Amino acid sequence: MTSRYPDTLEAADAAPTVVGRLSRLDRFLPLWIGLAMVAGLLLGRVIPGLNTALEAVKVGGISLPIAVGLLVMMYPVLAKVRYDRLDTVTGDRRLLISSLVLNWLIGPAVMFALAWIFLADHAEYRTGLIIVGLARCIAMVIIWNDLACGDREAAAVLVALNSVFQVIAFGVLGWFYLSVLPHWLGLSGAELAVSGWDIARNVLIFLGIPLLAGFLTRRFGERAKGRTWYEGQFLPRIGPVALYGLLFTIVILFALQGDAITSQPWDVVLIAIPLLAYFAIMWAGSYVLGRSIGLSYERTTTLAFTAAGNNFELAIAVAIGTFGVTSGQALAGVVGPLIEVPVLVALVYVSLALRRRLLPTATASRNPS
């Protein structure tokens, strides 16, 4: 499924049968993710005290096992980034401006509108969804982009850009969308107390550490044995680790929240409806925008996934810290990944299908790794 491992998807543009040559992990990724979600939910229900044990130690306000899974998941992808090519991304004003507008103007506004349309009579869930909309993705989007053969360098730049804006804008936008705008519109509002330092600390941990590790690995690996060895031998060895980290993170995340999800199934459905609409609107709208302004498939894909994904770790942490672990706001945050993970996996396949149909003669301009 991915071109980042020995058999490249670039060949799939000419030979769809490449799927048969992919590793079992890649070929059946949606199945493994589904099983990981189910396993996590079951573990959270059948093992007494598991939640307490997993939450006993935290890093940046996030359970240590989840923190480890996120770092393991992100490192191999960031080790693949060609850091000497980042200037080609920072010079692309169309991409950067489009990403900022989508993430910090359109995304929160779309989630605010959907939350009020679908959850007008459910204040806690509505507030929780608005918080999810404010938390722009800086973690899992990197692996979704890589699976869809997006532009790694662009993803690294856009995630870093989102991280800076997240530190600056999250609290301000939370105040605007939960207090000011509802008051202007004659709607009932809520208060959001969140520390800018707490957000900055999460960014430094969950983006800064794997980004630095990836940069240093490439720098010293290429110096020691050359780029051919690094991209031809080293990267294929560590590539699958990202997917193992993803599956581990999903299991732990759903184990932590399994009881909340399974004990309120109809509420989960209620929250899921606006979330599904949000992911569809943001991804499809971003994809259309990218193509309309002339971005390549790779950068259009990166733009779409960085706009559609959300930082559910931050959203859950803020909801729990502000409203409590048993609050409806926290449940809305928990439902976020329950919907986001399978939807964005499906959109990976949609992206790859669009690539073959819209760009049948396109070939990768980068070395596959």
Side-chain angles (χ1 to χ4, degrees), residues 88-113:
T88 66
V89 180
T90 56
D92 191 341
R93 293 186 178 181
R94 297 171 304 168
L95 177 67
L96 298 182
I97 293 174
S98 297
S99 180
L100 287 176
V101 170
L102 287 166
N103 276 284
W104 297 103
L105 293 179
I106 296 178
V110 168
M111 188 68 90
F112 175 86

Side-chain angles (χ1 to χ4, degrees), residues 111 114 118-119 125 129 264-280 331-332 334-336 338-340 343:
M111 188 68 90
L114 291 172
F118 289 97
L119 299 171
Y125 297 158
L129 278 191
Q264 304 179 66
W266 292 114
D267 286 4
V268 169
V269 172
L270 189 67
I271 297 168
I273 294 173
L275 279 171
L276 286 169
Y278 172 82
F279 293 131
L331 178 62
V334 169
V335 175
L338 176 68
I339 306 303
E340 178 175 329
V343 168

Side-chain angles (χ1 to χ4, degrees), residues 91-307:
D92 191 341
R93 293 186 178 181
R94 297 171 304 168
L95 177 67
L96 298 182
I97 293 174
S98 297
S99 180
L100 287 176
V101 170
L102 287 166
N103 276 284
W104 297 103
L105 293 179
I106 296 178
V110 168
M111 188 68 90
F112 175 86
L114 291 172
W116 274 98
I117 290 171
F118 289 97
L119 299 171
D121 297 327
H122 301 272
E124 290 189 354
Y125 297 158
R126 185 182 66 235
T127 298
L129 278 191
I130 293 173
I131 293 172
V132 170
L134 298 176
R136 313 312 300 171
C137 196
I138 66 168
M140 276 194 179
V141 69
I142 291 177
I143 199 167
W144 304 137
N145 175 76
D146 207 54
L147 290 169
C149 299
D151 187 316
R152 286 195 197 115
E153 289 70 41
V157 170
L158 295 186
V159 163
L161 190 64
N162 275 340
S163 300
V164 173
F165 271 79
Q166 194 149 254
V167 173
I168 298 171
F170 186 92
V172 174
L173 288 177
W175 167 73
F176 176 76
Y177 279 106
L178 293 175
S179 300
V180 176
L181 187 56
H183 177 72
W184 287 352
L185 298 176
L187 306 171
S188 59
E191 296 295 330
L192 178 64
V194 58
S195 164
W197 165 243
D198 288 341
I199 298 173
R201 181 180 57 190
N202 282 339
V203 169
L204 289 173
I205 292 172
F206 297 111
L207 177 62
I209 291 176
L211 184 62
L212 179 62
F215 171 78
L216 293 177
T217 300
R218 178 173 278 276
R219 183 178 181 89
F220 290 107
E222 289 189 354
R223 278 188 179 182
K225 295 195 174 183
R227 179 164 292 175
T228 300
W229 172 85
Y230 184 84
E231 296 189 343
Q233 297 186 45
F234 178 73
L235 289 182
R237 291 175 185 170
I238 68 168
V241 173
L243 298 184
Y244 297 141
L246 171 65
L247 296 175
F248 174 79
T249 302
I250 291 171
V251 170
I252 299 301
L253 178 67
F254 283 86
L256 278 168
Q257 308 297 341
D259 186 64
I261 292 172
T262 57
S263 62
Q264 304 179 66
W266 292 114
D267 286 4
V268 169
V269 172
L270 189 67
I271 297 168
I273 294 173
L275 279 171
L276 286 169
Y278 172 82
F279 293 131
I281 291 170
M282 290 302 298
W283 190 90
S286 302
Y287 203 94
V288 170
L289 174 62
R291 296 299 296 158
S292 67
I293 63 176
L295 296 181
S296 65
Y297 164 82
E298 289 79 9
R299 291 193 175 176
T300 296
T301 297
T302 301
L303 180 68
F305 277 100
T306 52

Side-chain angles (χ1 to χ4, degrees), residues 1-5 7-10 12 18-23 25-30 33 143-144 146-149 243 246 344-349 352 355-356:
M1 181 175 120
T2 93
S3 67
R4 312 316 180 194
Y5 307 112
D7 286 318
T8 68
L9 187 72
E10 280 77 15
V18 72
V19 173
R21 299 196 302 271
L22 295 174
S23 71
L25 179 64
D26 291 338
R27 197 184 316 163
F28 299 108
L29 181 61
I33 288 178
I143 199 167
W144 304 137
D146 207 54
L147 290 169
C149 299
L243 298 184
L246 171 65
L344 292 191
V345 169
L347 289 175
V348 167
Y349 282 93
L352 298 177
R355 185 187 192 195
R356 288 192 290 270

